[in-house]
Amino acid sequence: MKIIRWIFTLATLAFLGAAWAGPIPDTQESRIGFLSFDLPSEQTGSFELSFDAAPLADKIDAFTGISAAAPSTANDVAAIVRFADTGVIDVRNGGVFRADQALKYAANQVYRIRMAIDVASRTYSVSVTPPGQPEILLARNYAFRSQQSGVKSLGKIVLAGFTGSSGSFAGSHRVTGVTLKAVP
C-alpha cells in the first residue's frame, strides 16, 4: 500500500508541476566513499536541485553531486558542489574544481545550495545562500565532469567524502531539505 501511495504522490506532483522532496533522510551525512539515492525518475531535460548542506568540520573534502548511476569513483559524477579542504566551496567545471567567486565556509553553518542543471547541454549553474546573506552565483554554465560529457540522463544524488592530503578523513557534511523541480 505504501508503494502505491508513493507512486500516486509522484505522479500527482509531476502532473501538477510541483517540486519533489526526498529521498534523503533528514540527517544523511557523507562518509569516506559514496552514498547515492534515487531521484524520482531519470532526469533528461532541465531541472533544479536544491538542498541545505552543512560541513561538520572545517577544511573537509566532501561533495554533493548528481550522477547517472551509483558511482564507484568521483569520475562517475556529472555535476559536483564541494566543501574543499582549502576552506572554500567550489564546483566541478569539466576537468577542474573552481568558482566564479570565492566563498569560504565554516563548520556547522548551513548553506542553501541550488543547482540548475541542463542535461541536454551538459551544463549547470550553482548558487549558494550563506547563513544570513543573499544568494551568491558561484558557477554559471559549468560543464559536466569531463568523463560525463556524453551522459544522457541523471538519476542519482550523491554524497561523498575523501581523505585529505594528510591521509586522514577531516569530516563529513550533512544534507537535508532536498527538492527537485523541472525547469522549462
Side-chain angles (χ1 to χ4, degrees), residues 32-91:
I32 293 179
F34 303 93
L35 294 172
S36 62
F37 303 89
D38 291 332
L39 295 176
S41 63
E42 293 288 316
Q43 302 297 307
T44 58
S46 295
F47 66 99
E48 185 177 284
L49 182 78
S50 298
F51 52 91
D52 291 327
L56 301 179
D58 289 320
K59 297 189 176 185
I60 63 174
D61 187 2
F63 73 67
T64 304
I66 303 293
S67 66
S72 56
T73 72
N75 289 339
D76 298 331
V77 185
I80 296 171
V81 178
R82 177 178 73 160
F83 291 108
D85 59 3
T86 57
V88 299
I89 301 173
D90 58 16
V91 178

Side-chain angles (χ1 to χ4, degrees), residues 5 14 24 29 35-36 61 64 76-77 97 102 107-108 121 126 133 151 157 168 175 179 181:
R5 192 175 316 126
I24 294 179
E29 295 178 8
L35 294 172
S36 62
D61 187 2
T64 304
D76 298 331
V77 185
F97 280 101
N108 301 309
S121 69
V126 175
Q133 297 180 35
V151 72
I157 182 170
S168 63
V175 172
T179 61
K181 67 179 182 179

Side-chain angles (χ1 to χ4, degrees), residues 101-150:
Q101 184 170 332
L103 179 59
K104 292 183 179 185
Y105 68 86
N108 301 309
Q109 297 295 306
V110 177
Y111 299 83
R112 185 69 181 169
I113 298 175
R114 187 168 54 88
M115 300 174 76
I117 301 167
D118 183 346
V119 178
S121 69
R122 291 161 191 85
T123 61
Y124 64 114
S125 296
V126 175
S127 297
V128 178
T129 305
Q133 297 180 35
E135 184 177 77
I136 297 167
L137 181 60
L138 204 59
R140 179 188 299 270
N141 294 324
Y142 278 21
F144 282 5
R145 188 179 195 105
S146 303
Q147 295 85 348
Q148 297 300 309
S149 62

Side-chain angles (χ1 to χ4, degrees), residues 17-33:
W20 163 83
I24 294 179
D26 232 14
T27 58
Q28 189 60 56
E29 295 178 8
S30 60
R31 60 175 190 223
I32 293 179

